[in-house]
Amino acid sequence: QVRLVETGGGLVQAGGSLRVSCAASGRTFSNYAMGWFRQTPGKEREFVAGISRGGGTTHYADSVKGRFTISRDNAKNTVALQMNSLKPEDTAVYYCAARFGLLTTATMMNDYESWGQGTQVTVSS
């Protein structure tokens, strides 16, 4: 499995921006579709954004569409989530996930086989 490490979380005021990144190692990164999920205490982990192996296809949850952008750099083995116009309800632990061999994007937790440890994003009102 590929190893994933998220960075870039933190505290930001509502309306602000934050970028979280995920560095992959151990396998050929371009063979993996990537996704971002988030989770708050007492709730299930939810899909935020996904990107295909080559980066040509992306998919977003309705709650973040138009505010968040997922991107990847296969040369640097990284995937990022740029979050703009943040709202308090975006507060969560954000997880990076990887799925080997998928040609498109995936939106379900069970579609992914590798996960990072998560990074906390807190949006104050």
Side-chain angles (χ1 to χ4, degrees):
Q1 289 185 340
V2 64
R3 181 172 179 263
L4 305 172
V5 178
E6 301 96 335
T7 57
L11 174 65
V12 63
Q13 288 188 334
S17 298
L18 201 62
R19 183 180 178 91
V20 291
S21 296
C22 173
S25 62
R27 293 290 187 268
T28 302
F29 182 64
S30 59
N31 286 340
Y32 289 83
M34 301 298 296
W36 285 96
F37 287 72
R38 65 187 182 187
Q39 189 171 23
T40 54
K43 293 188 176 181
E44 290 191 356
R45 198 168 295 187
E46 65 173 0
F47 171 78
V48 175
I51 190 166
S52 60
R53 289 161 55 181
T57 301
T58 57
H59 188 71
Y60 298 93
D62 288 343
S63 58
V64 306
K65 203 170 292 183
R67 300 188 297 122
F68 290 13
T69 302
I70 187 172
S71 61
R72 67 186 296 160
D73 186 336
N74 285 348
K76 296 183 178 180
N77 294 347
T78 58
V79 60
L81 185 69
Q82 176 67 42
M83 303 181 287
N84 298 329
S85 302
L86 282 161
K87 305 175 182 179
E89 50 263 44
D90 294 319
T91 296
V93 176
Y94 283 72
Y95 296 91
C96 172
R99 164 66 186 270
F100 177 79
L102 189 65
L103 293 177
T104 182
T105 62
T107 63
M108 305 296 291
M109 275 188 62
N110 289 342
D111 291 331
Y112 292 88
E113 62 215 22
S114 300
W115 293 84
Q117 82 289 348
T119 186
Q120 177 70 47
V121 171
T122 303
V123 184
S124 63
S125 57

